[in-house]
């Protein structure tokens, strides 16, 4: 179904910015739900943001609203997560995911995500 490959993680000081990118190799993104998840040590994986690739409806978890922006470029088969004003608590492994568009708009975050990236680490320091 196509591999998802992430890039853009790294280390940054609090208040800084990073942009994560997820490329879908050999498979397009149209008519899918796309999302970024994260998992910090000792914590459960959580959905950070999702986007409906058709209508563009988005969802953000409360802790990142106003700081993170998810976007997609269906023509290039890439979707991104722009992270601004990073905080210590944003430190985690970030994973991109894609799945069939079983729901639309912000409800995309509830679909069965069948494709996952390998993960990219984001470390925020003081």
């Amino acid at each position: 179904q196509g591999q998802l490959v992430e890039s853009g993680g790294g280390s940054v000081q609090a208040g800084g910015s990073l942009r994560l990118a997820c490329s879908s190799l050999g498979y397009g993104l149209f008519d899918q739900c796309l999302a970024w998840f994260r998992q910090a040590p000792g914590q459960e994986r959580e959905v950070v943001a999702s986007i409906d690739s058709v209508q563009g409806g988005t969802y953000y978890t409360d802790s990142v609203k106003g700081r993170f922006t998810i976007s997609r470029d269906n023509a290039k088969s890439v979707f991104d997560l722009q992270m601004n004003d990073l905080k210590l608590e944003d430190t985690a492994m970030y994973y991109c995911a894609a799945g069939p568009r079983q729901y639309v708009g912000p409800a995309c975050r509830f679909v069965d995500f069948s494709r996952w990236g390998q993960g990219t680490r984001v470390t925020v320091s003081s």
Side-chain angles (χ1 to χ4, degrees), residues 18-38:
L18 284 173
R19 188 176 187 90
L20 306 182
C22 184
S23 299
S24 178
L25 305 182
Y27 197 81
L29 295 178
F30 191 73
D31 200 25
Q32 295 187 55
C33 288
L34 314 171
W36 287 92
F37 289 77
R38 67 185 178 188

Side-chain angles (χ1 to χ4, degrees), residues 47-50 58-66 68-71 81:
V47 57
V48 176
S50 68
T58 58
Y59 162 83
Y60 297 94
T61 193
D62 286 346
S63 62
V64 308
K65 285 180 180 177
F68 290 13
T69 303
I70 188 171
S71 61
L81 184 69

Side-chain angles (χ1 to χ4, degrees), residues 11-93:
S11 298
V12 64
Q13 288 191 322
S17 298
L18 284 173
R19 188 176 187 90
L20 306 182
C22 184
S23 299
S24 178
L25 305 182
Y27 197 81
L29 295 178
F30 191 73
D31 200 25
Q32 295 187 55
C33 288
L34 314 171
W36 287 92
F37 289 77
R38 67 185 178 188
Q39 187 166 20
Q43 298 186 21
E44 292 188 356
R45 185 176 62 193
E46 65 169 342
V47 57
V48 176
S50 68
I51 186 167
D52 179 328
S53 71
V54 176
Q55 59 161 256
T58 58
Y59 162 83
Y60 297 94
T61 193
D62 286 346
S63 62
V64 308
K65 285 180 180 177
R67 301 188 297 120
F68 290 13
T69 303
I70 188 171
S71 61
R72 90 291 189 199
D73 186 331
N74 291 340
K76 295 181 179 179
S77 296
V78 174
F79 63 106
D80 298 336
L81 184 69
Q82 176 66 44
M83 305 185 294
N84 297 328
D85 189 23
L86 283 159
K87 303 179 183 300
L88 298 180
E89 53 265 37
D90 295 319
T91 295
M93 282 292 289

